[in-house]
Amino acid sequence: MVVEQLKVGFDNFSYVIYCSKKKEAAIVDPSYDATKALDFISSNNLKLIYIILTHHHSDHSGDTHRIKNLYPSLKIISSKSDEEKLGFTIDFYVSDNDELKVGDVSLDFILTPGHTKDGICIIVDNESILTGDTLFIGDCGRTDLPGGSFEQMFKTLQEKIKPLSDNLIVFPGHDYGNKPFDTLGNQKKTNRVLIANNLEEFSKIP
Ligand SMILES: [Fe+2]
C-alpha cells in the first residue's frame, strides 16, 4: 500500500502518498490540520516533496500555507481553475493526463469539475484513485456551492470516472459512506450517482 488514509476532524480524509524505497512523500489535501500527516511522514523518515490539492475548499487546503513555511522547498500542486481562491502561490498546475512521480510511485491526474471548477482526481500506481469531493462512497460532492455545476458533475462522473478500471480503490475526501474506501467496480454497482445513466435520473437523486 502506498496510500495512507488519515481521518482529520469529524469527517475529512487527508492522505499521504509515499515511496518506501526512495523515501519520498506527498500530502493530498492537508485539510485544516496536517499534524497526523506530518507525524506519519516523520515517523517513516520520508521527505515531503509535494502538497497536492484536490480542490480549493478550506477543509481540504487550510493547513497548506503553514506546511509550506515549515518545508519551503516542497511544491504545491493543483489545477489552474480557482487558484485565486487559495490565497497562496501554486508551484505548478496539473491538467488532464499529466503524470508525476513520488519516488517510484506514479500519479496520473484527471480534471473532474462539478463540485468546484478546479476539482482533480489522482490515480496512484493504477491501483487507487483519490477523488476529493468529486466522488464519495455512495454519493458525489454537492454542486450548489460557488463554481459547482450539477450538469458538469454528471458529465465528469460519466466521462471521467465511469470509464476507469473497476479494480481501482476509491479513496474519497470525506468519510460520508458506509465504509472509508471501496473498489470503483463496487461503487459503479451500488453508488446512486454512478448508477444514474442520464441527467434526468441524476436530477431525481435527493
Ligand atoms: Fe469541497
Side-chain angles (χ1 to χ4, degrees):
M1 183 65 86
V2 296
V3 176
E4 181 74 7
Q5 183 183 50
L6 302 163
K7 189 95 168 261
V8 180
F10 186 62
D11 60 31
N12 271 84
F13 280 131
S14 179
Y15 294 91
V16 178
I17 299 169
Y18 61 100
C19 172
S20 320
K21 194 168 142 209
K22 299 218 168 135
K23 293 285 175 194
E24 289 186 341
I27 297 177
V28 176
D29 288 353
S31 189
Y32 42 81
D33 182 2
T35 304
K36 281 187 188 174
L38 294 174
D39 285 351
F40 178 86
I41 286 166
S42 63
S43 64
N44 287 282
N45 299 312
L46 302 166
K47 182 180 184 214
L48 178 60
I49 57 170
Y50 300 128
I51 292 178
I52 305 168
L53 303 171
T54 62
H55 63 297
H56 69 276
H57 285 160
S58 60
D59 59 326
H60 297 257
S61 63
D63 217 10
T64 305
H65 192 58
R66 179 178 76 93
I67 307 170
K68 176 75 172 177
N69 284 338
L70 290 173
Y71 304 94
S73 66
L74 71 75
K75 305 292 183 209
I76 303 173
I77 297 169
S78 78
S79 80
K80 194 162 176 59
S81 324
D82 288 340
E83 184 212 357
E84 74 283 357
K85 298 201 171 76
L86 282 165
F88 47 79
T89 305
I90 299 299
D91 294 298
F92 54 89
Y93 306 114
V94 287
S95 300
D96 259 337
N97 305 315
D98 279 354
E99 296 177 21
L100 206 61
K101 287 269 190 185
V102 175
D104 291 335
V105 177
S106 67
L107 312 185
D108 293 276
F109 294 90
I110 45 175
L111 301 183
T112 56
H115 173 67
T116 57
K117 279 192 235 163
D118 63 345
I120 59 171
C121 292
I122 306 149
I123 298 170
V124 183
D125 264 354
N126 285 316
E127 290 178 348
S128 52
I129 179 166
L130 279 58
T131 53
D133 286 2
T134 296
L135 185 69
F136 302 131
I137 303 306
D139 210 341
C140 64
R142 59 193 288 183
T143 58
D144 58 338
L145 297 171
S149 163
F150 176 77
E151 290 80 7
Q152 186 63 66
M153 176 61 91
F154 179 70
K155 195 171 157 61
T156 284
L157 294 173
Q158 291 292 316
E159 297 177 8
K160 297 290 190 70
I161 302 294
K162 274 173 103 168
L164 298 172
S165 165
D166 287 358
N167 296 325
L168 290 174
I169 307 291
V170 176
F171 285 114
H174 288 270
D175 190 10
Y176 288 160
N178 57 359
K179 52 180 100 167
F181 54 86
D182 194 10
T183 63
L184 183 56
N186 199 39
Q187 284 300 297
K188 286 180 196 174
K189 284 188 235 152
T190 59
N191 187 329
R192 57 192 186 163
V193 302
L194 295 176
I195 291 169
N197 274 320
N198 54 59
L199 199 54
E200 197 191 341
E201 280 176 33
F202 189 61
S203 71
K204 286 180 181 159
I205 296 172

